[in-house]
Amino acid sequence: MRKIASLLSLLLLVTTLAIAQPRTVTGRVTDAQGNPVPFATITVRGTNTGVAADQSGNFSVQAAPGAVLEVSAAGFQATQLNIGQQTTVEFRLGTAQGNLQEVVVTAQGVRRTRNQVPYAAQQLSGEEVSKNRSSNFLQNLSGKVSGMELRQANTLGGSTNIVIRGVKTIAGGNQPLFVVDGVPVDNSQVRSANQTTGRGGYDYGSAAADINPDDIETMTVLKGAAATSLYGARGGNGVILITTKKGARGIGVTVNSGVGFGKYDKSTFAKYQNEYGAGYGAYYEDETYSRFLWRNPNDGFAPAYDTDADGHIIAWHPEGRLVTPFSEDASYGARFDPNLMVYQWDAFDPLSPNFGKARPWVAAANGPGSFFQTAVSSNQSILVDGGTDKGSFKLGYTRTDDKGILPNSYITKNLVNFGGTLNLTSQLNVGVTGNFSNIDAKGRYGTGYDDKNP
């Protein structure tokens, strides 16, 4: 009898041990609508065992019968389930109610919820910034940030002037400080002394315009002295804090493309008269009209008149002919008359069919508007990112081609962004980022009042 009892006890113990052995439990995590919840975390309560669901919400974990599985995911209510003897389970998560709080990035590595920030801070997502494809993402901020004034130059590749909450100084710049992943970026405009007084020069753009908009995760605009105290005197005009994207679990490829066109607006373009030609009035050399030069075409267009000691014309040579004062930039000259034969600009161009010939004094057949062409802007980008429990990476490339409204004008930008993180230990992470910009331009528009501005 004792032998039978011992044998029964042994069989019961073996059966219990066999039942308690962990085995593979598979499952799927979905939301209330049945859509998969990617990368949810599944842990076995009371153990160190845990896995992450894949992009489709599927998972596989080792768990003993009767174990309790706990599931959590950002934006969803955590839940748990006693699996009993099941080897296949499904979790349906409900959306978290009242637990989510907007997180604002205030400095590198510093995050605060909205109600913890005692100063004005407005945040934009990367999607809002890059939604409109353009060569300068700063243009997309117009109307999106309260208290921010943007002025975009009308030149090809020109800079964008940003002022937050009004001008603060008349002696220096009012541009906010840009900070990209903790690295300050100077967005000040580089101008020559002539440009500051309205004269000639070129606008070569600003550094912030070369930031890749497809690489932006969030953009936070800090306003006021209390906010900018985080960055000292350089942040006195405000701070635009940009956090770039990080690699997500798995492998992802994102492709964006956009094309834009532009034409000059005839309704707002300057109106030109077609009644008078070049010149400033009756201040020139010919005897009859005093509105033309009087030159000898057989002597290299040398002056065909005599002057006194004071330089006043006292006699006109009969071999002289009317020549347009084409070096002038005004149109207060002689009234157009097809009966007048005048040597005009093309009479001095050896490649012109009118070289060395006089033409009737009439208005040009084509006005300045016919000189402009259709502007075309294209933007393409590709971003590859990935990650595991050990780290993440991202690699992005963006190419922008801008063909200007003037012939033979263009700007080409090639931007490359790389970033990577590595989790050395549970308490130590290292990361590296790198950005490369290459800009090729030709035919930039001049600014101000001189020969650089067509």
Side-chain angles (χ1 to χ4, degrees):
M1 192 65 181
R2 289 181 178 177
K3 292 182 178 180
I4 294 175
S6 298
L7 182 59
L8 290 175
S9 299
L10 180 61
L11 290 174
L12 181 60
L13 177 61
V14 172
T15 302
T16 302
L17 291 174
I19 294 176
Q21 287 298 316
R23 77 270 200 229
T24 301
V25 177
T26 60
R28 189 165 184 260
V29 184
T30 63
D31 60 17
Q33 287 73 40
N35 301 314
V37 177
F39 313 127
T41 301
I42 301 94
T43 58
V44 181
R45 190 169 69 182
T47 71
N48 293 325
T49 303
V51 296
D54 61 18
Q55 194 165 2
S56 300
N58 300 315
F59 69 90
S60 176
V61 65
Q62 295 293 317
V68 176
L69 298 186
E70 298 177 339
V71 180
S72 61
F76 295 90
Q77 292 180 337
T79 187
Q80 58 185 20
L81 174 68
N82 189 322
I83 62 174
Q85 299 298 322
Q86 300 178 78
T87 58
T88 303
V89 296
E90 181 173 351
F91 291 93
R92 180 159 292 191
L93 304 183
T95 303
Q97 300 294 331
N99 293 326
L100 289 180
Q101 294 180 330
E102 184 178 357
V103 176
V104 177
V105 180
T106 61
Q108 177 67 6
V110 179
R111 295 173 182 264
R112 296 287 185 267
T113 57
R114 173 67 67 185
N115 59 1
Q116 291 178 318
V117 179
Y119 41 75
Q122 187 169 347
Q123 183 164 287
L124 300 175
S125 66
E127 182 180 354
E128 292 179 90
V129 174
S130 61
K131 184 181 297 183
N132 296 327
R133 312 299 299 176
S134 65
S135 58
N136 185 347
F137 83 95
L138 296 177
Q139 302 174 18
N140 300 335
L141 300 181
S142 180
K144 291 185 170 65
V145 179
S146 62
M148 176 185 287
E149 177 186 356
L150 288 93
R151 293 184 180 180
Q152 173 67 28
N154 60 357
T155 59
L156 181 66
S159 57
T160 300
N161 185 56
I162 301 177
V163 177
I164 298 177
R165 288 187 170 179
V167 173
K168 299 174 179 62
T169 175
I170 60 174
N174 287 275
Q175 291 272 10
L177 174 67
F178 280 76
V179 180
V180 182
D181 287 339
V183 179
V185 175
D186 186 5
N187 192 48
S188 60
Q189 298 165 302
V190 180
R191 294 182 179 182
S192 65
N194 282 339
Q195 282 180 296
T196 59
T197 58
R199 295 189 176 275
Y202 293 98
D203 186 347
Y204 293 98
S206 48
D210 298 332
I211 298 173
N212 186 357
D214 294 308
D215 192 39
I216 297 176
E217 180 180 10
T218 60
M219 174 183 291
T220 304
V221 181
L222 306 181
K223 315 167 191 176
T228 55
S229 62
L230 294 167
Y231 295 93
R234 295 185 66 183
N237 296 322
V239 176
I240 297 180
L241 182 64
I242 295 176
T243 302
T244 60
K245 294 178 179 177
K246 306 297 185 291
R249 187 181 295 273
I251 297 294
V253 178
T254 304
V255 178
N256 291 300
S257 180
V259 179
F261 301 92
K263 295 182 71 69
Y264 87 99
D265 188 351
K266 294 182 180 180
S267 64
T268 60
F269 194 64
K271 301 298 189 293
Y272 288 85
Q273 56 85 23
N274 291 312
E275 189 174 353
Y276 297 91
Y280 274 95
Y283 306 112
Y284 299 96
E285 303 166 356
D286 72 285
E287 182 179 11
T288 304
Y289 309 99
S290 298
R291 296 176 184 272
F292 295 99
L293 304 180
W294 187 250
R295 302 299 171 94
N296 186 351
N298 298 319
D299 188 22
F301 289 92
Y305 50 82
D306 297 325
T307 60
D308 59 18
D310 295 326
H312 300 125
I313 298 176
I314 56 175
W316 286 265
H317 300 173
E319 64 271 19
R321 296 294 181 268
L322 299 177
V323 177
T324 305
F326 51 81
S327 62
E328 306 288 25
D329 57 358
S331 297
Y332 303 117
R335 184 188 295 270
F336 288 121
D337 182 353
N339 297 316
L340 286 180
M341 299 300 291
V342 180
Y343 287 86
Q344 302 178 43
W345 67 269
D346 50 356
F348 302 89
D349 183 1
L351 301 179
S352 170
N354 295 317
F355 178 62
K357 300 178 183 178
R359 289 193 295 111
W361 184 239
V362 295
N366 298 306
S370 62
F371 181 69
F372 298 119
Q373 62 184 14
T374 300
V376 181
S377 176
S378 64
N379 180 282
Q380 293 81 32
S381 72
I382 180 170
L383 177 68
V384 180
D385 66 279
T388 65
D389 293 335
K390 298 298 183 181
S392 63
F393 79 94
K394 65 168 183 183
L395 178 62
Y397 169 71
T398 298
R399 179 184 174 93
T400 300
D401 293 279
D402 274 341
K403 173 185 163 187
I405 199 171
L406 296 181
N408 203 29
S409 62
Y410 67 84
I411 290 182
T412 300
K413 291 183 180 181
N414 292 279
L415 310 176
V416 179
N417 313 97
F418 172 79
T421 61
L422 180 62
N423 304 329
L424 296 180
T425 68
S426 60
Q427 302 295 326
L428 179 61
N429 300 331
V430 296
V432 61
T433 59
N435 299 284
F436 171 78
S437 302
N438 176 265
I439 301 174
D440 179 32
K442 185 176 183 179
R444 289 182 184 267
Y445 313 154
T447 64
Y449 184 71
D450 72 351
D451 58 352
K452 297 180 179 60
N453 188 355

